[in-house]
Amino acid sequence: MHDGTIRDLAFMEGPESGGSILISAGAGDCNIYTTDCQRGQGLHALNGHTGHILTVYTWGGWMIASGSQDKTVRFWDLRVPSCVRVVGTSLHGSGSAIASVAVDPSGRLLATGQEDSTCMLYDIRGGRMVQTFRPHSSDIRSVRFSPGAHHLLTGSYDNKIIISDLQGDLTKQLPQTVAGEHLDKVIQCRWHPHDRTFLSSSADRTVVLWAPGP
């Protein structure tokens, strides 16, 4: 169904959808496609982005967040199914392509990883940006909340993996720790579902399992 490079995939997880809907997005027509995995049939083509889609994230059984080279995050509700909100990154400065998005387990907070080395925290329910900050010195290709949403894990083309502490006032400067470093660009980072350990993959041809200190 796609007519360009597929950049990201996600399954829709949750009791409403049964975890059987595949979300895929990328270049070409810049659409997000949903597929019923049990029947092997396409369901929806969600259009609105004007640049290549680099990242998708699902939560809540119905919701999708997508980040694009058009410098926006779009929220999609599959019950509609259409775009229900657009969040731009050009509120301060020229904006930046969004390489990674994640939503915390409560569904309240969005984090972005951007090609200008910044992250944005966005209050989904309040509809407002909480803050932008720069934990890295190059493209941020991966952002993920820890299972309890106490920490944000970011991986970057600066070879570093940073953990930002989210337990205080989110409008203030966030305490940050360099949790790991590769010999080349960091491509993806993922928390363990229960432990405080995490994985990172890199252009240095390694995947590393890290155990952060207490």
Side-chain angles (χ1 to χ4, degrees):
M1 62 188 78
H2 290 275
D3 63 353
T5 302
I6 298 170
R7 297 282 187 181
D8 205 6
L9 303 166
F11 286 101
M12 184 62 79
E13 299 171 356
E16 297 90 348
S17 60
S20 60
I21 297 176
L22 173 68
I23 315 298
S24 55
D29 58 17
C30 303
N31 284 350
I32 298 171
Y33 288 95
T34 64
T35 304
D36 183 320
C37 298
Q38 292 174 331
R39 297 191 183 94
Q41 295 176 343
L43 297 173
H44 309 294
L46 306 174
N47 62 77
H49 278 298
T50 58
H52 296 176
I53 299 167
L54 303 177
T55 175
V56 291
Y57 192 90
T58 63
W59 81 99
W62 296 110
M63 298 300 296
I64 303 167
S66 58
S68 166
Q69 288 181 341
D70 66 13
K71 305 180 181 180
T72 67
V73 175
R74 285 178 176 261
F75 294 114
W76 313 81
D77 186 334
L78 286 190
R79 291 168 295 189
V80 181
S82 65
C83 179
V84 293
R85 189 180 304 172
V86 181
V87 180
T89 61
S90 56
L91 302 174
H92 301 284
S94 60
S96 175
I98 297 165
S100 184
V101 292
V103 174
D104 81 334
S106 71
R108 295 177 180 177
L109 193 64
L110 168 88
T112 67
Q114 298 169 196
E115 290 188 354
D116 65 356
S117 73
T118 64
C119 288
M120 175 177 68
L121 295 178
Y122 180 84
D123 178 347
I124 295 172
R125 295 183 184 178
R128 63 185 181 88
M129 188 180 69
V130 179
Q131 73 156 296
T132 59
F133 60 103
R134 182 170 269 109
H136 293 275
S137 60
S138 188
D139 301 30
I140 300 175
R141 307 305 292 191
S142 185
V143 293
R144 283 294 184 272
F145 289 95
S146 62
H150 293 151
H151 299 92
L152 185 71
L153 184 70
T154 55
S156 167
Y157 279 3
D158 67 6
N159 305 358
K160 291 183 175 67
I161 303 150
I162 303 259
I163 293 178
S164 300
D165 190 330
L166 304 177
Q167 296 177 88
D169 185 344
L170 295 181
T171 64
K172 302 280 175 49
Q173 184 171 348
L174 304 176
Q176 292 166 0
T177 305
V178 178
E181 189 163 0
H182 279 270
L183 298 175
D184 205 340
K185 298 173 180 177
V186 178
I187 308 299
Q188 288 287 345
C189 299
R190 292 289 185 275
W191 291 99
H192 186 279
H194 311 296
D195 302 336
R196 284 199 65 224
T197 57
F198 59 90
L199 283 169
S200 61
S201 63
S202 169
D204 67 11
R205 304 182 184 181
T206 66
V207 174
V208 180
L209 175 64
W210 306 85

